[in-house]
Amino acid sequence: MKIERVETFQVQWDPNDEPARRSAFVRIHSSEGISGIGEASPMQGGAASLGIINRDMAPALIGADPLDHAVLQDRLLHRLVKLGPEGALTGALAAIDIALWDLKGKLLGQPIYKLLGGAWRTALPFYASIGRNGARERNVDEVCRVVEQRLKDKPAAIKIRFDNDRTLPDLDIKGDIAKAGAVRRLVGDDFPLAFDANNGYSVGAAIRVGRALEELGYWWFEEPVQHYHVSKMGEVARALDITVSAGEQTYTTAALVDLINAGVRMVQPDIVKMGGITGLMRCAAVCEAHGVELVPHQTQPTVGHMANLHICAAQAHATKPCEWDDPSSRRHVVFDNPPKPTDGLFHLPNTPGLGLAFIEQELKRRQIAAS
Ligand code: CA
């Protein structure tokens, strides 16, 4: 079997969406007539990753055996590493890897979690991840109203994000703590909560906010300081009792080890930003070896979400629920079986591959070929 064609495209979900809000998909077609779908990191509509796939990766993939996906990934990473191993390049590799796993599952007639060695669970709880749409500007009351809205989906936990402007650290420490306190009062003492600083604090401010979150009984404190200050992330993690998490902006297993060695005890690599399914399984092994929690970051509600669920299903120690960011159905329209939770759980289908199929007619209407 050979890879015959690599198709890359964005999907524009609503006619009024700006280009940066598009999703970036890849579909890899094999000589057997079977194809697989993957997704790249959505930053700026994923256009940079799709361009790298088209120009620099597709020529090397055509004619290759899709079952050699791990070899292909490592070969392309090393060949193209000077394009920058962080971001657009690893997003491109992630999309290809997910598509090739989907293809492999369809070829072998098995869901991906079976090919990973089996599922510990196929019903997966989730946490509602609340941010974007002006999260920074919401006042205490508005934050509480959004939380109330998301509680209707029966999440196992809630994470409030602060989507800070990274050039303006420590902007409103008192206000942030007030919001954390208001949400705690709203949900009661026992409901699991997380606080995502989105890299918004200096070290001292992060420790101060972390202490307040400990008092409020928060479950974890995400990305308190700039992601590139790895040793400082570790310093904050070591200074606090609350679990400090980071890693959604970590793009290689080596960088993940740096974060762990710095002192971070819960890491959050993202399947569409680094490594795809192959990469996340490597991260799982690294975390297992270091005794660190792996709780993948994931904000894309269809392909990325399904790929992530297969990983979380196959992971022995799932200490936290899976992230679920966008509860709207607007990105379900091109799939005949989009993932939707029932009674607080996502159920993984036992169909081959990712378990997702396009409705071609709906896809065509929204599809924009990548350049
Ligand atoms: Ca985050």
Side-chain angles (χ1 to χ4, degrees):
M1 187 173 45
K2 288 189 163 78
I3 295 172
E4 240 176 32
R5 190 159 64 91
V6 178
E7 184 191 5
T8 56
F9 54 91
Q10 293 178 311
V11 179
Q12 176 149 12
W13 301 102
D14 292 315
N16 299 329
D17 270 355
E18 50 189 279
R21 294 270 287 150
R22 295 172 188 163
S23 296
F25 291 157
V26 57
R27 180 154 52 172
I28 301 185
H29 302 267
S30 75
S31 53
E32 315 285 291
I34 297 171
S35 62
I37 53 180
E39 177 165 20
S41 170
M43 295 300 112
Q44 299 302 313
S49 290
L50 297 183
I52 290 174
I53 294 174
N54 276 343
R55 285 187 300 272
D56 307 308
M57 295 180 175
L61 291 169
I62 306 296
D65 183 340
L67 296 179
D68 291 341
H69 55 82
V71 172
L72 294 169
Q73 175 168 171
D74 284 335
R75 182 176 291 147
L76 287 171
L77 173 68
H78 288 89
R79 188 182 288 169
L80 300 170
V81 72
K82 288 187 182 176
L83 283 179
E86 303 201 329
L89 175 61
T90 52
L93 291 168
I96 289 169
D97 185 82
I98 294 167
L100 292 178
W101 271 98
D102 186 35
L103 205 163
K104 176 155 103 172
K106 288 173 183 162
L107 181 77
L108 300 175
Q110 295 291 336
I112 289 170
Y113 65 79
K114 282 284 181 193
L115 302 179
L116 296 175
W120 291 85
R121 58 201 79 77
T122 54
L124 297 120
F126 63 89
Y127 72 84
S129 182
I130 301 176
R132 70 177 84 210
N133 303 324
R136 177 72 262 168
E137 282 74 39
R138 280 177 203 142
N139 63 30
V140 172
D141 198 49
E142 286 162 340
V143 169
C144 288
R145 296 297 80 78
V146 184
V147 169
E148 272 176 343
Q149 199 59 34
R150 293 295 298 275
L151 281 169
K152 290 175 186 165
D153 295 318
K154 302 188 183 171
I158 286 210
K159 179 172 90 184
I160 48 171
R161 310 204 306 256
F162 285 77
D163 292 355
N164 291 302
D165 179 336
R166 295 177 197 210
T167 65
L168 300 169
D170 303 345
L171 195 61
D172 186 14
I173 297 166
K174 213 172 137 194
D176 296 348
I177 294 172
K179 286 174 191 172
V183 172
R184 171 51 77 207
R185 286 190 293 281
L186 173 74
V187 299
D189 285 345
D190 296 327
F191 193 86
L193 289 173
F195 181 108
D196 187 347
N198 294 105
N199 318 100
Y201 301 124
S202 62
V203 172
I207 291 170
R208 182 177 151 203
V209 173
R211 291 270 176 255
L213 296 176
E214 286 168 358
E215 285 296 307
L216 291 166
Y218 271 60
W219 205 7
W220 78 88
F221 182 20
E222 189 165 319
E223 289 202 298
V225 298
Q226 301 285 1
H227 77 284
Y228 45 77
H229 287 147
V230 173
S231 70
K232 296 298 152 194
M233 197 72 87
E235 185 179 330
V236 174
R238 288 177 195 272
L240 291 170
D241 294 323
I242 187 173
T243 298
V244 168
S245 68
E248 67 176 84
Q249 301 170 85
T250 297
Y251 301 89
T252 61
T253 43
L256 193 71
V257 170
D258 291 342
L259 200 54
I260 292 168
N261 286 341
V264 175
R265 290 165 289 182
M266 169 176 156
V267 294
Q268 303 167 293
D270 186 318
I271 201 162
V272 303
K273 296 190 193 303
M274 69 92 83
I277 287 164
T278 305
L280 264 281
M281 286 303 281
R282 291 171 180 173
C283 292
V286 166
C287 291
E288 167 67 27
H290 286 86
V292 160
E293 293 179 67
L294 172 65
V295 184
H297 175 263
Q298 184 45 233
T299 61
Q300 300 310 294
T302 60
V303 179
H305 184 67
M306 285 302 291
N308 186 50
L309 290 186
H310 282 273
I311 288 290
C312 294
Q315 190 187 346
H317 299 141
T319 54
K320 303 280 189 301
C322 301
E323 181 162 21
W324 190 38
D325 176 50
D326 182 358
S328 78
S329 56
R330 70 188 204 115
R331 289 193 271 190
H332 289 173
V333 63
V334 305
F335 296 95
D336 71 3
N337 50 353
K340 294 175 195 166
T342 320
D343 262 341
L345 295 169
F346 280 98
H347 292 269
L348 265 179
N350 58 6
T351 45
L354 286 171
L356 276 177
F358 282 130
I359 302 170
E360 297 296 338
Q361 215 176 350
E362 296 292 341
L363 180 63
K364 267 200 189 75
R365 270 189 224 157
R366 296 165 180 83
Q367 198 172 7
I368 298 167
S371 52

